[in-house]
Amino acid sequence: MANDTMVTLQGWLGGEPSGRDVGGVLVTHFRVACTPRRFNRQREEWVDGETQWYTVSAWRALADHCLRSLRKGDPVVVHGRLTHRSYVNKADTEVVALEVEAITVGHDLSRGCTEFRRTSPAQGFEPAAGAGAGASGAAA
């Protein structure tokens, strides 16, 4: 843990979060798009850079809270451990995927307002109820 690469992302949810049961533990996955903006002094205007996509995974209570709280298009701030994996896609091209195992996730309050609601352990994820694609088994 001492040598983990920690990152903080500021971006937008690219789709609805999806949750699933992994051995009785809820994990939620979602994609975050981060588009850097730079001021071009020659043109005197803001220019968008290339959008970078990150897959984020959240576990246990954080996973449940992400399912209940996040929606496609939401501005978010994610802090966690950066990992990468390589694989060969269908076009036979090697791809490097950047992934973040979230420690904290929240709405980006520089983009709007939100309301905090504390949950109790009794309101958490129940594996028997299942976690379908994009919805938790618990009522919001």
Side-chain angles (χ1 to χ4, degrees), residues 7-15 29-36 50-57 76 78 81-84 96-101:
V7 295
T8 301
L9 307 175
Q10 179 186 18
W12 304 85
L13 249 60
H29 295 278
F30 53 92
R31 303 265 293 154
V32 175
C34 302
T35 305
E50 186 176 339
T51 299
Q52 301 164 10
W53 287 90
Y54 298 88
T55 298
V56 177
S57 61
V76 294
V78 176
R81 290 177 196 85
L82 180 67
T83 61
H84 74 285
V96 175
L98 297 174
E99 300 178 352
V100 176
E101 183 181 335

Side-chain angles (χ1 to χ4, degrees), residues 35-46:
T35 305
R37 295 198 88 201
R38 304 283 184 258
F39 189 75
N40 183 320
R41 292 179 196 260
Q42 292 172 338
R43 295 178 9 198
E44 296 207 8
E45 66 182 7
W46 288 94

Side-chain angles (χ1 to χ4, degrees), residues 63-121:
D64 184 47
H65 297 162
C66 287
L67 276 175
R68 293 172 184 240
S69 304
L70 301 178
R71 299 291 169 257
K72 178 180 179 179
D74 282 356
V76 294
V77 177
V78 176
H79 181 73
R81 290 177 196 85
L82 180 67
T83 61
H84 74 285
R85 64 182 175 88
S86 300
Y87 63 93
V88 177
N89 67 12
K90 292 178 184 176
D92 204 32
T93 304
E94 185 174 5
V95 176
V96 175
L98 297 174
E99 300 178 352
V100 176
E101 183 181 335
I103 295 171
T104 32
V105 177
H107 285 115
D108 182 350
L109 298 181
S110 70
R111 308 270 182 200
C113 297
T114 191
E115 188 174 313
F116 182 78
R117 181 174 19 109
R118 188 174 305 275
T119 59
S120 67

